Amino acid sequence: ERQERGGRMNVGTAHSEVNPNTRVMNSRGIWLSYVLAIGLLHVVLLSIPFVSVPVVWTLTNLIHNMGMYIFLHTVKGTPFETPDQGKARLLTHWEQMDYGVQFTASRKFLTITPIVLYFLTSFYTKYDQIHFVLNTVSLMSVLIPKLPQLHGVRIFGINKY
Amino acid sequence: APAYHLILEGILILWIIRLLFSKTYKLQERSDLTVKEKEELIEEWQPEPLVPPVSKDHPALNYNIVSGPPSHNIVVNGKECINFASFNFLGLLDNPRVKAAALASLKKYGVGTCGPRGFYGTFDVHLDLEDRLAKFMKTEEAIIYSYGFATIASAIPAYSKRGDIVFVDRAACFAIQKGLQASRSDIKLFKHNDMADLERLLKEQEIEDQKNPRKARVTRRFIVVEGLYMNTGTLCPLPELVKLKYKYKARIFLEESLSFGVLGEHGRGITEHFGISIDDIDLISANMENSLASIGGFCCGRSFVIDHQRLSGQGYCFSASLPPLLAAAAIEALNIMEENPDTFVVLKEKCKQIHKALQGISGLKVVGESISPAFHLQLKESTGSREKDVKLLQEIVSQCMNRGIALTQARYLEKEEKCLPPPSIRVVVTVEQTEEELEKAASTIKEVAQDVLL
């Protein structure tokens, strides 16, 4: 139980983890921080004057999904040197997570969060059509790269090297 | 709420439920063995003997015992011989100044540093030696390693990673081969000193790059050569290499273990010998175990390049640093090298002399440049099996030893080398050998070769 979540990696000390990117989404407190960060984004957007609540929800959804797409599915490699001579140089963070094992706890969490956010957004935008189109397209852009069939796939060679 | 929306939300809820109940799995399925297959494998396993059967004259069982330092007069198996086997090119192994500097350092610092460079293992002598080497080689910075083999074996994987391409000579020494293996890069071997072959490989790579420019933009290309090759005693054609470097945009890593303190007007190596600006070479790596008569190695180059090794050089970060007495000995050896620049001329003359004297031996051919102080004597015609060749050469070596000339065969880890050189006797010329001794050595080798091979 205790090994499912949280900080097996000793943060700030010497550890034998070859690529810390694989374990970062399992660290202690990161899921809570992630949810709180979405909350913070929403509150900041709500404090913009003259913007209605449905627009704010759609904006939260769009910005969250765009951020998730960039950081999990676009940026490749590691910002630090790894002792494995660059094995993960061409892999996105999603592909590096847990060394490519599918359907781990963090992967399930990161797949379910945009869906939950989508449900909330559709409720608060009162199922309006334009909002529906925008939110659904954004959700698909974040759900499809997470499928195991798309592991390591680069369509039309975009972002391959 | 519109119907399509509710259907979509229903699908998404089903997707969430599926996710929550799916098991984790690895994408590549390992074909695990069944229990029956495991039993079969265990049945047919035969343990290897602890001591493998080897012949009685295996070199590991017949070693020579040296009493005293391996200096100019070496005592092998109780017999006094002239040393033609140790890489003591400038004779600094027995130099009293070097020994005094080492002793003074021993009294001041003790023996070892008890730590890597990052963890209380950096002494002022290390920083001094790095400074002196950088100034001597006229580069911006230098970095010291505590073991000569580890120098180039750590430097190559620090820069070249998976997906990068390294063009390396076939006659590269074992340390370079291990460094390349550790780097996990694509290795392309070109024929020894054959610039046309290298150009062909570079052109092929260029065509590949044009087909896939995005991949080419992220691949790094390196050329690894030695200044003076230990396995063949030849020089590398550095001017053509620099031209190829600029034409095909590759970085040059130059390994100068044998040419540092030997070639060039002031002993700065092959760049001085050919008159090439040191800024054209991206990294120079050398070990201090030959001319500098110390232990360890160094790399020198631009600050931007060398600084990277302070965190990425595995032999630098994860090995104890060089003992201060050896660093002090190396500094003193550098001082001596700087004070007597005519030793290099004397060494070159001696090399040329013995090269000339050894031409025309029956059955043996001299392999190496005439200015190379470490060259090889190979059999003109091999007997067909490597073991017989090794035995023949060993016979020559033992008879020479009986007559007072200490020689050695070049030893290789036969199963591990990529391109195993033919068996040979390696002759080393040092500054301390007088002309008479060189003549004596040449005539001894000639007589012994005559006896053994004919």
Side-chain angles (χ1 to χ4, degrees), chain B residues 344-354 370 435 438:
Chain B
F344 309 114
V345 183
V346 171
L347 182 63
K348 276 201 191 65
E349 290 303 318
K350 296 205 173 159
C351 297
K352 285 192 196 140
Q353 181 192 343
I354 196 161
S370 60
E435 302 199 355
L438 288 171

Side-chain angles (χ1 to χ4, degrees), chain B residues 151-191:
Chain B
T151 310
I152 189 67
S154 309
I156 295 178
Y159 301 100
S160 178
K161 312 273 179 187
R162 269 173 230 261
D164 297 335
I165 304 172
V166 183
F167 300 94
V168 69
D169 198 298
R170 269 182 195 274
C173 66
F174 193 55
I176 295 182
Q177 289 173 32
K178 287 295 135 187
L180 292 170
Q181 192 181 358
S183 74
R184 323 297 291 146
S185 329
D186 299 323
I187 311 299
K188 302 215 155 86
L189 299 159
F190 62 91
K191 289 197 209 107

Side-chain angles (χ1 to χ4, degrees), chain B residues 134-395:
Chain B
K135 281 206 189 71
F136 180 74
M137 294 294 287
K138 297 205 182 125
T139 58
E140 287 177 25
E141 205 175 319
I143 179 175
I144 304 283
Y145 284 82
S146 49
Y147 184 36
F149 187 103
T151 310
I152 189 67
S154 309
I156 295 178
Y159 301 100
S160 178
K161 312 273 179 187
R162 269 173 230 261
D164 297 335
I165 304 172
V166 183
F167 300 94
V168 69
D169 198 298
R170 269 182 195 274
C173 66
F174 193 55
I176 295 182
Q177 289 173 32
K178 287 295 135 187
L180 292 170
Q181 192 181 358
S183 74
R184 323 297 291 146
S185 329
D186 299 323
I187 311 299
K188 302 215 155 86
L189 299 159
F190 62 91
K191 289 197 209 107
H192 177 56
N193 272 355
D194 190 349
M195 291 297 111
D197 202 27
L198 175 59
E199 182 143 21
R200 171 188 64 91
L201 284 171
L202 286 166
K203 271 210 181 81
E204 279 172 15
Q205 185 56 39
E206 200 181 31
I207 298 174
E208 289 273 338
D209 287 347
Q210 276 158 358
K211 280 191 212 151
N212 200 341
R214 264 178 294 163
K215 183 176 182 187
R217 226 176 293 143
V218 287
T219 27
R220 296 172 272 243
R221 284 159 280 259
F222 301 96
I223 301 176
V224 177
V225 277
E226 289 183 53
L228 202 58
Y229 287 90
M230 181 149 81
N231 292 347
T232 59
T234 46
L235 264 75
C236 80
L238 203 56
E240 283 104 53
L241 267 168
V242 173
K243 275 197 214 114
L244 283 175
K245 163 194 162 157
Y246 283 115
K247 189 170 170 198
Y248 293 98
K249 307 279 182 294
R251 303 276 183 198
I252 297 187
F253 283 0
L254 189 58
E255 221 265 312
E256 289 222 68
S257 291
L258 261 69
S259 53
F260 178 76
V262 164
L263 293 178
E265 218 185 282
H266 301 270
R268 292 203 178 99
I270 195 169
T271 46
E272 206 182 26
H273 178 83
F274 280 118
I276 294 175
S277 145
I278 200 122
D279 297 320
D280 285 334
I281 309 295
D282 298 283
L283 183 80
I284 295 185
S285 155
N287 70 20
M288 305 192 281
E289 297 168 2
N290 303 331
S291 309
L292 275 182
S294 175
I295 301 280
F298 70 93
C299 289
C300 60
R302 290 172 55 210
S303 275
F304 172 70
V305 176
I306 297 299
D307 225 15
H308 175 74
Q309 279 182 54
R310 298 217 187 259
L311 281 178
S312 288
Q314 307 281 74
Y316 180 83
C317 303
F318 297 111
S319 271
S321 52
L322 190 64
L325 65 101
L326 292 168
I331 295 177
E332 192 59 35
L334 258 182
N335 289 342
I336 297 177
M337 265 172 67
E338 284 178 348
E339 285 163 19
N340 315 340
D342 34 325
T343 13
F344 309 114
V345 183
V346 171
L347 182 63
K348 276 201 191 65
E349 290 303 318
K350 296 205 173 159
C351 297
K352 285 192 196 140
Q353 181 192 343
I354 196 161
H355 251 267
K356 222 165 76 171
L358 281 174
Q359 298 292 342
I361 308 182
S362 46
L364 290 176
K365 61 174 186 238
V366 175
V367 173
E369 301 263 341
S370 60
I371 49 170
S372 160
F375 55 91
H376 294 258
L377 293 168
Q378 287 174 12
L379 290 170
K380 264 197 192 124
E381 292 147 20
S382 157
T383 55
S385 97
R386 195 188 169 91
E387 280 183 31
K388 287 213 194 90
D389 289 347
V390 168
K391 273 205 190 106
L392 265 178
L393 292 170
Q394 191 56 38
E395 188 55 43

